[in-house]
Amino acid sequence: MFGILIPGKEIMTNFEEYDGFWAMDLENPSEINVLGFYLNVPIADDTMGASLYISKPPHETAELDFIGAVANTRPSDIFHTGWAVDPSVNIHSSIKLVVKPEPLESIKSLFELKESN
């Protein structure tokens, strides 16, 4: 359904499906400055998009940090992570990437909140 592209690495599509979201482990996040996120196939509902988050250990209690999103109108994008200089991320050897389907209106609000911080 979607994939991750990190410069110099193989394309990653090995998300595991859970109850209403998908997740995958990502090793050495401090070495990742940018990542691409893309749809493999269009989303059936044009009012929905796919939001990308990170989850830092311990994952059971971690809140999700919004990275960005894709939708049928913009099926791919590149995001600058800042993880190399973010001590809440660069101390971990592994994090999880989490993808959640969300209404476009909610995604728009997430981008506005991210830009205001």
Side-chain angles (χ1 to χ4, degrees), residues 3-70:
I4 298 292
L5 174 65
I6 297 171
K9 302 200 183 259
E10 291 186 22
I11 291 174
M12 295 179 277
T13 58
N14 57 326
F15 285 91
E16 293 183 41
E17 187 172 356
Y18 295 91
D19 188 26
F21 67 95
W22 294 263
M24 70 185 298
D25 291 323
L26 185 64
E27 302 296 320
N28 303 314
S30 64
E31 297 175 4
I32 300 168
N33 295 316
V34 296
L35 61 78
F37 179 42
Y38 64 92
L39 294 175
N40 284 333
V41 295
I43 297 172
D45 182 348
D46 281 337
T47 67
M48 299 291 287
S51 295
L52 180 65
Y53 297 86
I54 63 167
S55 171
K56 298 170 273 193
H59 302 293
E60 297 78 25
T61 59
E63 58 182 65
L64 299 176
D65 295 331
F66 178 70
I67 297 173
V70 292

Short mmCIF file of all heavy atoms in Angstrom, two decimals, residues 3-70:
data_model
loop_
_atom_site.label_atom_id
_atom_site.label_comp_id
_atom_site.label_asym_id
_atom_site.label_seq_id
_atom_site.Cartn_x
_atom_site.Cartn_y
_atom_site.Cartn_z
N GLY A 3 5.25 2.82 0.94
CA GLY A 3 6.63 2.45 1.17
C GLY A 3 7.45 3.63 1.65
O GLY A 3 7.01 4.77 1.63
N ILE A 4 8.67 3.30 2.06
CA ILE A 4 9.62 4.28 2.57
C ILE A 4 10.89 4.18 1.73
O ILE A 4 11.36 3.08 1.43
CB ILE A 4 9.97 3.99 4.05
CG1 ILE A 4 8.74 4.10 4.94
CG2 ILE A 4 11.11 4.88 4.55
CD1 ILE A 4 8.19 5.51 5.09
N LEU A 5 11.43 5.32 1.38
CA LEU A 5 12.69 5.38 0.64
C LEU A 5 13.66 6.25 1.44
O LEU A 5 13.35 7.41 1.74
CB LEU A 5 12.47 5.98 -0.75
CG LEU A 5 13.73 6.23 -1.56
CD1 LEU A 5 14.41 4.91 -1.91
CD2 LEU A 5 13.40 7.00 -2.82
N ILE A 6 14.79 5.67 1.79
CA ILE A 6 15.86 6.39 2.48
C ILE A 6 17.06 6.37 1.55
O ILE A 6 17.46 5.30 1.09
CB ILE A 6 16.18 5.73 3.84
CG1 ILE A 6 14.95 5.80 4.74
CG2 ILE A 6 17.39 6.38 4.49
CD1 ILE A 6 15.04 5.00 6.01
N PRO A 7 17.63 7.54 1.24
CA PRO A 7 18.76 7.58 0.31
C PRO A 7 19.86 6.58 0.71
O PRO A 7 20.25 6.50 1.87
CB PRO A 7 19.25 9.02 0.41
CG PRO A 7 18.04 9.80 0.81
CD PRO A 7 17.28 8.88 1.73
N GLY A 8 20.31 5.82 -0.30
CA GLY A 8 21.37 4.84 -0.08
C GLY A 8 20.92 3.50 0.45
O GLY A 8 21.72 2.59 0.63
N LYS A 9 19.62 3.35 0.71
CA LYS A 9 19.09 2.07 1.23
C LYS A 9 18.06 1.52 0.26
O LYS A 9 17.55 2.23 -0.60
CB LYS A 9 18.46 2.28 2.60
CG LYS A 9 19.44 2.85 3.62
CD LYS A 9 18.96 2.59 5.00
CE LYS A 9 19.91 3.21 6.00
NZ LYS A 9 20.80 2.28 6.59
N GLU A 10 17.74 0.25 0.43
CA GLU A 10 16.70 -0.37 -0.38
C GLU A 10 15.34 0.18 0.02
O GLU A 10 15.13 0.58 1.17
CB GLU A 10 16.72 -1.89 -0.20
CG GLU A 10 17.95 -2.54 -0.81
CD GLU A 10 17.86 -4.05 -0.74
OE1 GLU A 10 16.74 -4.60 -0.63
OE2 GLU A 10 18.92 -4.68 -0.79
N ILE A 11 14.42 0.19 -0.93
CA ILE A 11 13.04 0.60 -0.64
C ILE A 11 12.45 -0.35 0.41
O ILE A 11 12.66 -1.57 0.35
CB ILE A 11 12.20 0.59 -1.93
CG1 ILE A 11 12.68 1.72 -2.84
CG2 ILE A 11 10.72 0.69 -1.63
CD1 ILE A 11 12.03 1.73 -4.20
N MET A 12 11.72 0.20 1.36
CA MET A 12 11.14 -0.60 2.44
C MET A 12 9.61 -0.56 2.33
O MET A 12 9.02 0.52 2.30
CB MET A 12 11.58 -0.05 3.79
CG MET A 12 13.07 -0.18 4.03
SD MET A 12 13.58 0.49 5.61
CE MET A 12 13.71 2.22 5.17
N THR A 13 9.03 -1.74 2.27
CA THR A 13 7.57 -1.86 2.23
C THR A 13 7.08 -2.89 3.24
O THR A 13 5.94 -3.33 3.18
CB THR A 13 7.10 -2.28 0.82
OG1 THR A 13 7.71 -3.52 0.47
CG2 THR A 13 7.43 -1.23 -0.22
N ASN A 14 7.94 -3.28 4.17
CA ASN A 14 7.64 -4.37 5.09
C ASN A 14 6.87 -3.91 6.35
O ASN A 14 7.18 -4.33 7.46
CB ASN A 14 8.92 -5.11 5.48
CG ASN A 14 9.97 -4.20 6.08
OD1 ASN A 14 10.09 -3.04 5.70
ND2 ASN A 14 10.74 -4.72 7.01
N PHE A 15 5.85 -3.10 6.15
CA PHE A 15 5.00 -2.69 7.27
C PHE A 15 4.15 -3.88 7.72
O PHE A 15 3.65 -4.64 6.90
CB PHE A 15 4.06 -1.55 6.84
CG PHE A 15 4.74 -0.23 6.73
CD1 PHE A 15 5.28 0.19 5.53
CD2 PHE A 15 4.82 0.61 7.83
CE1 PHE A 15 5.89 1.42 5.41
CE2 PHE A 15 5.43 1.85 7.72
CZ PHE A 15 5.97 2.26 6.52
N GLU A 16 4.00 -4.03 9.02
CA GLU A 16 3.10 -5.04 9.58
C GLU A 16 1.79 -4.36 9.92
O GLU A 16 1.77 -3.27 10.48
CB GLU A 16 3.71 -5.66 10.84
CG GLU A 16 4.96 -6.48 10.55
CD GLU A 16 5.48 -7.14 11.81
OE1 GLU A 16 4.66 -7.65 12.60
OE2 GLU A 16 6.71 -7.13 11.99
N GLU A 17 0.68 -5.04 9.58
CA GLU A 17 -0.64 -4.47 9.84
C GLU A 17 -1.11 -4.84 11.24
O GLU A 17 -1.00 -5.98 11.68
CB GLU A 17 -1.64 -4.96 8.80
CG GLU A 17 -2.98 -4.26 8.92
CD GLU A 17 -3.92 -4.59 7.78
OE1 GLU A 17 -3.51 -5.30 6.84
OE2 GLU A 17 -5.06 -4.12 7.83
N TYR A 18 -1.62 -3.83 11.94
CA TYR A 18 -2.20 -4.01 13.26
C TYR A 18 -3.65 -3.55 13.19
O TYR A 18 -4.19 -3.41 12.11
CB TYR A 18 -1.40 -3.22 14.31
CG TYR A 18 0.01 -3.74 14.47
CD1 TYR A 18 1.05 -3.22 13.70
CD2 TYR A 18 0.30 -4.77 15.34
CE1 TYR A 18 2.34 -3.71 13.82
CE2 TYR A 18 1.59 -5.26 15.47
CZ TYR A 18 2.60 -4.72 14.72
OH TYR A 18 3.89 -5.20 14.83
N ASP A 19 -4.26 -3.28 14.30
CA ASP A 19 -5.67 -2.88 14.33
C ASP A 19 -5.80 -1.42 13.93
O ASP A 19 -5.75 -0.53 14.78
CB ASP A 19 -6.24 -3.13 15.73
CG ASP A 19 -7.73 -2.91 15.80
OD1 ASP A 19 -8.41 -3.05 14.76
OD2 ASP A 19 -8.23 -2.60 16.89
N GLY A 20 -5.95 -1.14 12.65
CA GLY A 20 -6.17 0.22 12.19
C GLY A 20 -4.92 1.01 11.87
O GLY A 20 -4.99 2.21 11.61
N PHE A 21 -3.74 0.38 11.91
CA PHE A 21 -2.51 1.08 11.55
C PHE A 21 -1.46 0.06 11.10
O PHE A 21 -1.65 -1.14 11.22
CB PHE A 21 -1.98 1.94 12.70
CG PHE A 21 -1.49 1.17 13.89
CD1 PHE A 21 -0.15 0.85 14.03
CD2 PHE A 21 -2.37 0.75 14.89
CE1 PHE A 21 0.31 0.13 15.12
CE2 PHE A 21 -1.91 0.03 15.98
CZ PHE A 21 -0.58 -0.28 16.10
N TRP A 22 -0.36 0.56 10.55
CA TRP A 22 0.74 -0.28 10.10
C TRP A 22 2.02 0.24 10.76
O TRP A 22 2.15 1.43 11.02
CB TRP A 22 0.91 -0.19 8.58
CG TRP A 22 -0.24 -0.77 7.83
CD1 TRP A 22 -0.34 -2.03 7.31
CD2 TRP A 22 -1.47 -0.13 7.50
NE1 TRP A 22 -1.55 -2.20 6.68
CE2 TRP A 22 -2.26 -1.05 6.78
CE3 TRP A 22 -1.99 1.15 7.75
CZ2 TRP A 22 -3.53 -0.73 6.31
CZ3 TRP A 22 -3.25 1.46 7.28
CH2 TRP A 22 -4.00 0.53 6.57
N ALA A 23 2.97 -0.66 11.01
CA ALA A 23 4.21 -0.25 11.66
C ALA A 23 5.39 -1.09 11.15
O ALA A 23 5.20 -2.23 10.69
CB ALA A 23 4.10 -0.38 13.17
N MET A 24 6.56 -0.51 11.22
CA MET A 24 7.80 -1.22 10.90
C MET A 24 8.93 -0.65 11.74
O MET A 24 8.89 0.51 12.14
CB MET A 24 8.14 -1.10 9.40
CG MET A 24 8.57 0.29 8.99
SD MET A 24 8.86 0.51 7.23
CE MET A 24 10.15 -0.60 6.91
N ASP A 25 9.92 -1.49 12.04
CA ASP A 25 11.11 -1.04 12.75
C ASP A 25 12.02 -0.29 11.80
O ASP A 25 12.13 -0.64 10.62
CB ASP A 25 11.86 -2.22 13.36
CG ASP A 25 11.09 -2.87 14.50
OD1 ASP A 25 10.44 -2.15 15.27
OD2 ASP A 25 11.15 -4.11 14.62
N LEU A 26 12.70 0.71 12.33
CA LEU A 26 13.67 1.47 11.55
C LEU A 26 14.94 1.58 12.39
O LEU A 26 14.94 2.19 13.46
CB LEU A 26 13.11 2.86 11.23
CG LEU A 26 13.97 3.74 10.33
CD1 LEU A 26 14.10 3.10 8.94
CD2 LEU A 26 13.36 5.11 10.20
N GLU A 27 16.00 0.96 11.89
CA GLU A 27 17.28 0.93 12.61
C GLU A 27 18.06 2.22 12.39
O GLU A 27 17.96 2.86 11.35
CB GLU A 27 18.11 -0.26 12.12
CG GLU A 27 17.43 -1.61 12.28
CD GLU A 27 17.17 -1.99 13.71
OE1 GLU A 27 18.04 -1.73 14.57
OE2 GLU A 27 16.09 -2.53 13.99
N ASN A 28 18.87 2.57 13.36
CA ASN A 28 19.80 3.71 13.30
C ASN A 28 19.15 5.01 12.83
O ASN A 28 19.60 5.62 11.85
CB ASN A 28 21.00 3.36 12.40
CG ASN A 28 21.71 2.11 12.87
OD1 ASN A 28 21.97 1.95 14.06
ND2 ASN A 28 21.99 1.21 11.95
N PRO A 29 18.13 5.47 13.51
CA PRO A 29 17.45 6.68 13.06
C PRO A 29 18.34 7.92 13.05
O PRO A 29 18.11 8.84 12.26
CB PRO A 29 16.29 6.84 14.04
CG PRO A 29 16.72 6.10 15.27
CD PRO A 29 17.55 4.96 14.76
N SER A 30 19.38 7.94 13.87
CA SER A 30 20.26 9.12 13.90
C SER A 30 21.04 9.30 12.61
O SER A 30 21.56 10.38 12.34
CB SER A 30 21.23 9.04 15.08
OG SER A 30 22.10 7.94 14.93
N GLU A 31 21.09 8.27 11.78
CA GLU A 31 21.80 8.34 10.50
C GLU A 31 20.90 8.77 9.34
O GLU A 31 21.35 8.87 8.21
CB GLU A 31 22.42 6.98 10.18
CG GLU A 31 23.47 6.55 11.19
CD GLU A 31 23.99 5.15 10.94
OE1 GLU A 31 23.59 4.53 9.92
OE2 GLU A 31 24.79 4.67 11.75
N ILE A 32 19.60 9.01 9.63
CA ILE A 32 18.63 9.30 8.57
C ILE A 32 18.25 10.77 8.62
O ILE A 32 17.61 11.22 9.57
CB ILE A 32 17.40 8.39 8.72
CG1 ILE A 32 17.83 6.93 8.63
CG2 ILE A 32 16.35 8.74 7.66
CD1 ILE A 32 16.77 5.94 9.05
N ASN A 33 18.67 11.51 7.61
CA ASN A 33 18.35 12.94 7.55
C ASN A 33 17.08 13.23 6.76
O ASN A 33 16.38 14.19 7.05
CB ASN A 33 19.51 13.71 6.93
CG ASN A 33 20.74 13.64 7.79
OD1 ASN A 33 20.66 13.79 9.01
ND2 ASN A 33 21.89 13.38 7.19
N VAL A 34 16.82 12.44 5.74
CA VAL A 34 15.61 12.60 4.93
C VAL A 34 15.04 11.22 4.63
O VAL A 34 15.76 10.23 4.60
CB VAL A 34 15.87 13.34 3.59
CG1 VAL A 34 16.32 14.76 3.82
CG2 VAL A 34 16.84 12.59 2.74
N LEU A 35 13.73 11.20 4.42
CA LEU A 35 13.10 9.97 3.97
C LEU A 35 11.94 10.31 3.06
O LEU A 35 11.32 11.36 3.18
CB LEU A 35 12.67 9.06 5.13
CG LEU A 35 11.66 9.53 6.18
CD1 LEU A 35 10.24 9.46 5.66
CD2 LEU A 35 11.78 8.66 7.40
N GLY A 36 11.70 9.42 2.13
CA GLY A 36 10.57 9.54 1.23
C GLY A 36 9.47 8.60 1.67
O GLY A 36 9.73 7.50 2.16
N PHE A 37 8.23 9.03 1.51
CA PHE A 37 7.05 8.25 1.87
C PHE A 37 6.13 8.29 0.67
O PHE A 37 5.89 9.37 0.11
CB PHE A 37 6.40 8.87 3.11
CG PHE A 37 5.15 8.20 3.61
CD1 PHE A 37 5.04 6.82 3.67
CD2 PHE A 37 4.08 8.96 4.06
CE1 PHE A 37 3.89 6.21 4.16
CE2 PHE A 37 2.93 8.37 4.54
CZ PHE A 37 2.83 6.99 4.61
N TYR A 38 5.64 7.14 0.23
CA TYR A 38 4.85 7.12 -1.00
C TYR A 38 3.76 6.06 -0.95
O TYR A 38 3.85 5.08 -0.21
CB TYR A 38 5.75 6.89 -2.21
CG TYR A 38 6.44 5.55 -2.21
CD1 TYR A 38 5.87 4.45 -2.83
CD2 TYR A 38 7.66 5.38 -1.58
CE1 TYR A 38 6.48 3.21 -2.82
CE2 TYR A 38 8.30 4.16 -1.57
CZ TYR A 38 7.70 3.08 -2.18
OH TYR A 38 8.32 1.86 -2.15
N LEU A 39 2.74 6.28 -1.78
CA LEU A 39 1.66 5.31 -1.96
C LEU A 39 2.03 4.39 -3.12
O LEU A 39 2.46 4.85 -4.17
CB LEU A 39 0.35 6.01 -2.32
CG LEU A 39 -0.28 6.92 -1.27
CD1 LEU A 39 -1.51 7.61 -1.85
CD2 LEU A 39 -0.65 6.12 -0.03
N ASN A 40 1.84 3.09 -2.93
CA ASN A 40 2.01 2.13 -4.03
C ASN A 40 0.77 2.07 -4.91
O ASN A 40 0.86 1.82 -6.10
CB ASN A 40 2.26 0.72 -3.48
CG ASN A 40 3.66 0.54 -2.97
OD1 ASN A 40 4.58 1.21 -3.40
ND2 ASN A 40 3.82 -0.36 -2.03
N VAL A 41 -0.38 2.25 -4.29
CA VAL A 41 -1.67 2.24 -4.99
C VAL A 41 -2.51 3.39 -4.44
O VAL A 41 -2.33 3.80 -3.29
CB VAL A 41 -2.42 0.90 -4.80
CG1 VAL A 41 -1.66 -0.25 -5.44
CG2 VAL A 41 -2.68 0.61 -3.34
N PRO A 42 -3.43 3.91 -5.23
CA PRO A 42 -4.29 5.00 -4.72
C PRO A 42 -5.13 4.53 -3.54
O PRO A 42 -5.50 3.36 -3.42
CB PRO A 42 -5.17 5.35 -5.91
CG PRO A 42 -4.45 4.83 -7.11
CD PRO A 42 -3.68 3.63 -6.64
N ILE A 43 -5.47 5.47 -2.68
CA ILE A 43 -6.37 5.20 -1.56
C ILE A 43 -7.79 5.20 -2.11
O ILE A 43 -8.16 6.08 -2.90
CB ILE A 43 -6.19 6.27 -0.46
CG1 ILE A 43 -4.76 6.20 0.09
CG2 ILE A 43 -7.22 6.09 0.65
CD1 ILE A 43 -4.41 7.32 1.05
N ALA A 44 -8.59 4.22 -1.73
CA ALA A 44 -9.94 4.06 -2.29
C ALA A 44 -10.84 5.26 -2.02
O ALA A 44 -11.68 5.62 -2.84
CB ALA A 44 -10.58 2.79 -1.73
N ASP A 45 -10.65 5.91 -0.88
CA ASP A 45 -11.48 7.05 -0.49
C ASP A 45 -10.66 8.33 -0.65
O ASP A 45 -9.68 8.55 0.07
CB ASP A 45 -11.92 6.87 0.96
CG ASP A 45 -12.82 7.97 1.48
OD1 ASP A 45 -12.96 9.02 0.82
OD2 ASP A 45 -13.40 7.77 2.57
N ASP A 46 -11.07 9.20 -1.57
CA ASP A 46 -10.32 10.44 -1.83
C ASP A 46 -10.34 11.44 -0.68
O ASP A 46 -9.62 12.43 -0.72
CB ASP A 46 -10.85 11.12 -3.10
CG ASP A 46 -10.33 10.47 -4.36
OD1 ASP A 46 -9.28 9.81 -4.31
OD2 ASP A 46 -11.00 10.62 -5.41
N THR A 47 -11.15 11.19 0.34
CA THR A 47 -11.18 12.09 1.50
C THR A 47 -10.20 11.65 2.59
O THR A 47 -10.12 12.27 3.64
CB THR A 47 -12.59 12.18 2.12
OG1 THR A 47 -12.95 10.91 2.69
CG2 THR A 47 -13.62 12.59 1.08
N MET A 48 -9.44 10.57 2.31
CA MET A 48 -8.51 10.02 3.29
C MET A 48 -7.07 10.13 2.79
O MET A 48 -6.83 10.21 1.60
CB MET A 48 -8.84 8.54 3.56
CG MET A 48 -10.21 8.28 4.12
SD MET A 48 -10.41 8.88 5.81
CE MET A 48 -9.44 7.67 6.70
N GLY A 49 -6.15 10.12 3.74
CA GLY A 49 -4.73 10.10 3.44
C GLY A 49 -4.05 9.12 4.38
O GLY A 49 -4.69 8.50 5.24
N ALA A 50 -2.74 8.99 4.24
CA ALA A 50 -1.94 8.13 5.10
C ALA A 50 -0.92 9.01 5.83
O ALA A 50 -0.08 9.65 5.19
CB ALA A 50 -1.23 7.06 4.28
N SER A 51 -1.03 9.07 7.15
CA SER A 51 -0.12 9.87 7.97
C SER A 51 1.02 9.01 8.47
O SER A 51 0.81 7.86 8.87
CB SER A 51 -0.86 10.46 9.17
OG SER A 51 -1.84 11.37 8.75
N LEU A 52 2.23 9.58 8.46
CA LEU A 52 3.43 8.88 8.91
C LEU A 52 3.88 9.47 10.24
O LEU A 52 4.00 10.69 10.38
CB LEU A 52 4.53 9.01 7.86
CG LEU A 52 5.86 8.33 8.15
CD1 LEU A 52 5.69 6.81 8.21
CD2 LEU A 52 6.89 8.71 7.09
N TYR A 53 4.12 8.60 11.20
CA TYR A 53 4.55 8.99 12.54
C TYR A 53 5.78 8.17 12.93
O TYR A 53 6.06 7.14 12.33
CB TYR A 53 3.46 8.67 13.57
CG TYR A 53 2.17 9.40 13.41
CD1 TYR A 53 1.17 8.91 12.57
CD2 TYR A 53 1.91 10.57 14.12
CE1 TYR A 53 -0.04 9.57 12.43
CE2 TYR A 53 0.70 11.23 14.00
CZ TYR A 53 -0.27 10.72 13.15
OH TYR A 53 -1.47 11.37 13.03
N ILE A 54 6.44 8.61 13.99
CA ILE A 54 7.44 7.76 14.64
C ILE A 54 6.97 7.46 16.05
O ILE A 54 6.25 8.25 16.68
CB ILE A 54 8.86 8.35 14.66
CG1 ILE A 54 8.93 9.63 15.48
CG2 ILE A 54 9.38 8.54 13.27
CD1 ILE A 54 10.35 10.08 15.79
N SER A 55 7.39 6.30 16.53
CA SER A 55 7.16 5.88 17.90
C SER A 55 8.52 5.54 18.49
O SER A 55 9.26 4.73 17.92
CB SER A 55 6.25 4.67 17.94
OG SER A 55 6.18 4.12 19.23
N LYS A 56 8.86 6.19 19.60
CA LYS A 56 10.14 5.94 20.26
C LYS A 56 9.93 4.96 21.42
O LYS A 56 8.86 4.94 22.02
CB LYS A 56 10.71 7.26 20.79
CG LYS A 56 11.00 8.26 19.67
CD LYS A 56 11.33 9.63 20.20
CE LYS A 56 10.05 10.39 20.41
NZ LYS A 56 10.16 11.80 20.64
N PRO A 57 10.94 4.15 21.74
CA PRO A 57 10.80 3.21 22.85
C PRO A 57 10.53 3.93 24.17
O PRO A 57 11.00 5.06 24.33
CB PRO A 57 12.16 2.52 22.89
CG PRO A 57 12.75 2.72 21.53
CD PRO A 57 12.22 4.04 21.06
N PRO A 58 9.79 3.34 25.09
CA PRO A 58 9.05 2.08 24.95
C PRO A 58 7.78 2.30 24.14
O PRO A 58 7.00 3.21 24.43
CB PRO A 58 8.73 1.70 26.40
CG PRO A 58 8.67 3.01 27.13
CD PRO A 58 9.63 3.92 26.42
N HIS A 59 7.56 1.50 23.13
CA HIS A 59 6.48 1.73 22.17
C HIS A 59 5.09 1.58 22.77
O HIS A 59 4.15 2.22 22.30
CB HIS A 59 6.64 0.80 20.98
CG HIS A 59 7.96 0.98 20.30
ND1 HIS A 59 8.30 2.12 19.62
CD2 HIS A 59 9.04 0.16 20.23
CE1 HIS A 59 9.53 2.01 19.15
NE2 HIS A 59 10.00 0.84 19.51
N GLU A 60 4.95 0.79 23.81
CA GLU A 60 3.63 0.57 24.39
C GLU A 60 3.08 1.85 25.02
O GLU A 60 1.88 2.05 25.08
CB GLU A 60 3.69 -0.53 25.47
CG GLU A 60 4.07 -1.90 24.94
CD GLU A 60 5.57 -2.03 24.68
OE1 GLU A 60 6.39 -1.32 25.29
OE2 GLU A 60 5.92 -2.87 23.84
N THR A 61 3.96 2.71 25.50
CA THR A 61 3.51 3.93 26.19
C THR A 61 3.87 5.20 25.42
O THR A 61 3.56 6.29 25.87
CB THR A 61 4.12 4.01 27.60
OG1 THR A 61 5.55 4.03 27.48
CG2 THR A 61 3.68 2.84 28.46
N ALA A 62 4.53 5.03 24.29
CA ALA A 62 5.01 6.20 23.54
C ALA A 62 3.87 6.91 22.82
O ALA A 62 2.96 6.28 22.29
CB ALA A 62 6.07 5.78 22.54
N GLU A 63 3.95 8.24 22.81
CA GLU A 63 3.04 8.96 21.94
C GLU A 63 3.68 9.05 20.57
O GLU A 63 4.89 8.90 20.41
CB GLU A 63 2.72 10.33 22.51
CG GLU A 63 3.91 11.22 22.76
CD GLU A 63 3.49 12.54 23.38
OE1 GLU A 63 2.99 12.51 24.52
OE2 GLU A 63 3.65 13.56 22.71
N LEU A 64 2.86 9.25 19.57
CA LEU A 64 3.35 9.29 18.20
C LEU A 64 3.73 10.71 17.82
O LEU A 64 3.03 11.66 18.16
CB LEU A 64 2.27 8.78 17.24
CG LEU A 64 1.83 7.33 17.46
CD1 LEU A 64 0.69 6.99 16.51
CD2 LEU A 64 2.99 6.37 17.27
N ASP A 65 4.84 10.85 17.10
CA ASP A 65 5.30 12.14 16.59
C ASP A 65 5.04 12.17 15.08
O ASP A 65 5.56 11.33 14.34
CB ASP A 65 6.79 12.34 16.86
CG ASP A 65 7.10 12.44 18.34
OD1 ASP A 65 6.24 12.89 19.12
OD2 ASP A 65 8.22 12.06 18.73
N PHE A 66 4.28 13.15 14.63
CA PHE A 66 3.89 13.28 13.23
C PHE A 66 5.09 13.69 12.38
O PHE A 66 5.82 14.62 12.72
CB PHE A 66 2.78 14.33 13.11
CG PHE A 66 2.31 14.61 11.72
CD1 PHE A 66 1.59 13.65 11.02
CD2 PHE A 66 2.57 15.82 11.11
CE1 PHE A 66 1.13 13.91 9.75
CE2 PHE A 66 2.12 16.09 9.83
CZ PHE A 66 1.40 15.12 9.14
N ILE A 67 5.29 12.99 11.26
CA ILE A 67 6.34 13.33 10.31
C ILE A 67 5.73 14.03 9.10
O ILE A 67 6.18 15.08 8.67
CB ILE A 67 7.11 12.08 9.84
CG1 ILE A 67 7.82 11.42 11.01
CG2 ILE A 67 8.09 12.44 8.74
CD1 ILE A 67 8.45 10.10 10.66
N GLY A 68 4.71 13.42 8.51
CA GLY A 68 4.08 13.96 7.32
C GLY A 68 3.02 13.01 6.81
O GLY A 68 2.65 12.06 7.50
N ALA A 69 2.54 13.25 5.59
CA ALA A 69 1.45 12.43 5.06
C ALA A 69 1.47 12.45 3.54
O ALA A 69 2.06 13.33 2.92
CB ALA A 69 0.11 12.94 5.57
N VAL A 70 0.79 11.46 2.98
CA VAL A 70 0.56 11.39 1.53
C VAL A 70 -0.92 11.11 1.30
O VAL A 70 -1.62 10.63 2.20
CB VAL A 70 1.44 10.30 0.87
CG1 VAL A 70 2.90 10.68 0.91
CG2 VAL A 70 1.21 8.93 1.49
#
